[in-house]
Structure formats: C-alpha cells, structure tokens
Amino acid sequence: MNIILLGPPGAGKGTQATNLEERHGMLQLSTGDMLRETRKADTELGRQVADVMDSGGLVSDEIVSAMIDAKLGSMAADVGAIFDGYPRTQPQAHSLDEILEKHGRKLDHVIELEVNEDALVDRITGRFTCGKCGEGYHDRYKMPVADGVCDKCGSTEFKRRPDDNEETVRNRMQEYRAKTAPILPIYEERGIVSRVDGMASIDEVTASLDAILAQ
Ligand code: AP5
C-alpha cells in the first residue's frame, strides 16, 4: 500500500507517519527529513537548501522528486510507502505518478489531516525531538515520561528545528495554501481522498488512519 499524508505544517504528518510505520510495517518517506540531511553537508547544495528551508519557501521540484525516486528505488517492492511532505506542488504530483509507475506501484490513499491553522503555530513552536533517535515531543502535548530523558532510547539530548519560529511557520503555511492545497483535486478526481480531523488527540488520529487503511 502507498499513501500520501497531506496537511499544513504541524498537522501531524510526521507523528502519524511514524505511528503507521510501526503499526503497518510501512516506510516513511519524508522529504523534509531528507532535506535536513542534505543541509548538514558543507556543500553549495546544502547551503542553498538551508536558505530555502529557513525562509519557509519550497526547495525545487527537481531536487525533491529525484530524492523520492532514489528512495523508492532502494525499497523492497512489498514495503508500502508513506509520503510525508511530498508532493507539495502540481509538478511534484505529476512526477510522483511517473515515479510510482516506474517502480511498479500505485497510490491507494491520500489522507488530508484537517486542522485549525491558529493551533499549528503553537504545535510547531513547542516541538522538539530526541537528538539521537529522532522521537518527537512537544512542550505541552507530549513531554518525555521521565524529565529530560527520551522515552524511546534514553538519550538526554534534544533539539529544535531552525525553521520552527513563528515567522517561518507563517510563510510555510502560506506556501501550503498557495501551492500544496491546490493539488487535492487531482486525487479527489480519482476518488482516493479521505479526510481526518487532525485536531483530535494523536491516538484518535492514529485510530482514524488505521480505519482508512483497513478499508
Ligand atoms: P517538513 O519537514 O515536511 O515540514 P512541514 O510540512 O512544515 O511539516 P512539519 O514537519 O512542520 O509538521 P508535521 O505535519 O510533520 O507535524 P508533526 O507530526 O511534526 O518540511 C520542512 C521544509 O522542507 C519545508 O518548509 C520546505 O522548505 C522543505 N520541503 C520539504 N518537503 C518539500 C517538498 N516536497 N518540496 C519542496 N520543499 C520541501 O507535529 C507537530 C507537533 O505537534 C509535534 O510536536 C507533535 O508532537 C504535535 N502533534 C502532532 N499531532 C498532534 C495532535 N493530534 N494533537 C496535539 N499535538 C500534536
């Protein structure tokens, strides 16, 4: 099964993709994570990617589609893909169709996480992750059980994303409204769009996704 999780910054795509990976044996393909790896490199490309991400803009369609193509090419054919943060533009949506066909896959579900944008700034500016295993947390909604210790791996190092400040988040939301939301009709025409209330609790959203995947 191959699915797209769609929603604005902070909608819970990454959180739910991780849950689905564990529950359904699928693999999360996050272009955001791939680009964060790219920006770590001391290269011209790394610096260009960092500048775009820190402004809240979108990295070029060619770069992200090539990343998805390469990642799918390295995956076992029987492992499902969860596209998290891709596609984000109409050219990316068309590229994904070509990439899926090339790798003998088809798209089963596009799931939109519907959220109240006012709540998202709060979600994103409170977000932090374990510096070792990447487990996600939030200052108010999901703190580690033992203060300062990652639930998953026991590390005491945590980090915050440089693009998780209010100004950049507002730009990211504007990009979502202008460029990403308009791709939904492509999938609505195919009858594969489901909508989930992303304002429900993390567990409730996971249960809704499980129900869609069981269809
Ligand atoms: P990316 O990393 O994809 O960021 P994003 O889309 O802005 O999404 P986020 O990761 O911020 O949010 P999320 O929906 O995953 O929410 P999360 O689960 O973390 O992209 C970053 C940048 O990379 C882009 O701005 C762009 O520059 C570039 N980029 C990436 N892909 C690209 C592409 N395809 N094309 C071009 N450029 C691209 O949850 C957020 C917080 O809320 C967490 O703390 C979580 O614990 C909490 N939370 C989650 N769900 C709930 C809930 N139900 N209730 C309460 N709290 C919750």
Side-chain angles (χ1 to χ4, degrees):
M1 191 178 305
N2 300 289
I3 68 169
I4 295 174
L5 289 183
L6 209 65
K13 304 181 295 294
T15 303
Q16 296 302 332
T18 307
N19 286 351
L20 291 178
E21 271 192 320
E22 288 169 2
R23 297 160 80 87
H24 296 273
M26 300 169 79
L27 199 66
Q28 173 190 22
L29 277 70
S30 160
T31 41
D33 287 348
M34 294 173 198
L35 291 167
R36 277 183 281 283
E37 278 304 309
T38 303
R39 68 178 286 169
K40 281 184 194 165
D42 185 20
T43 60
E44 184 55 32
L45 177 63
R47 284 185 285 277
Q48 280 175 13
V49 164
D51 284 346
V52 174
M53 291 178 87
D54 290 347
S55 73
L58 293 182
V59 174
S60 87
D61 294 330
E62 292 73 20
I63 290 174
V64 291
S65 292
M67 287 174 163
I68 289 290
D69 187 13
K71 185 72 188 176
L72 270 185
S74 72
M75 280 170 58
D78 59 347
V79 174
I82 307 162
F83 298 102
D84 163 10
Y86 180 91
R88 260 176 152 100
T89 64
Q90 297 209 354
Q92 288 181 28
H94 295 310
S95 293
L96 179 59
D97 284 342
E98 291 170 8
I99 293 167
L100 286 170
E101 193 180 349
K102 174 178 160 188
H103 295 288
R105 291 173 181 262
K106 77 173 186 56
L107 201 53
D108 298 285
H109 296 283
V110 176
I111 305 173
E112 183 190 17
L113 299 175
E114 294 186 303
V115 282
N116 166 357
E117 282 199 9
D118 290 338
L120 298 186
V121 175
D122 170 54
R123 274 195 193 177
I124 292 181
T125 52
R127 167 171 63 182
F128 62 100
T129 53
C130 171
K132 192 172 170 199
C133 73
E135 180 71 357
Y137 295 98
H138 191 278
D139 290 329
R140 286 214 300 276
Y141 309 124
K142 190 188 165 195
M143 286 294 283
V145 176
D147 194 20
V149 182
C150 176
D151 299 343
K152 211 167 181 183
C153 74
S155 169
T156 54
E157 280 177 36
F158 296 92
K159 60 182 184 183
R160 291 178 192 265
R161 277 170 43 177
D163 59 341
D164 277 355
N165 59 78
E166 184 163 347
E167 186 188 346
T168 306
V169 171
R170 299 251 179 234
N171 289 341
R172 282 157 59 195
M173 284 177 182
Q174 173 55 30
E175 289 286 68
Y176 181 81
R177 282 191 295 266
K179 297 176 184 161
T180 308
I183 69 176
L184 263 167
I186 297 174
Y187 301 114
E188 274 165 346
E189 271 180 22
R190 300 180 197 175
I192 56 171
V193 175
S194 303
R195 293 189 165 82
V196 167
D197 176 13
M199 299 310 294
S201 73
I202 292 175
D203 288 347
E204 286 169 332
V205 176
T206 303
S208 299
L209 296 180
D210 281 347
I212 291 167
L213 265 55
Q215 280 167 16

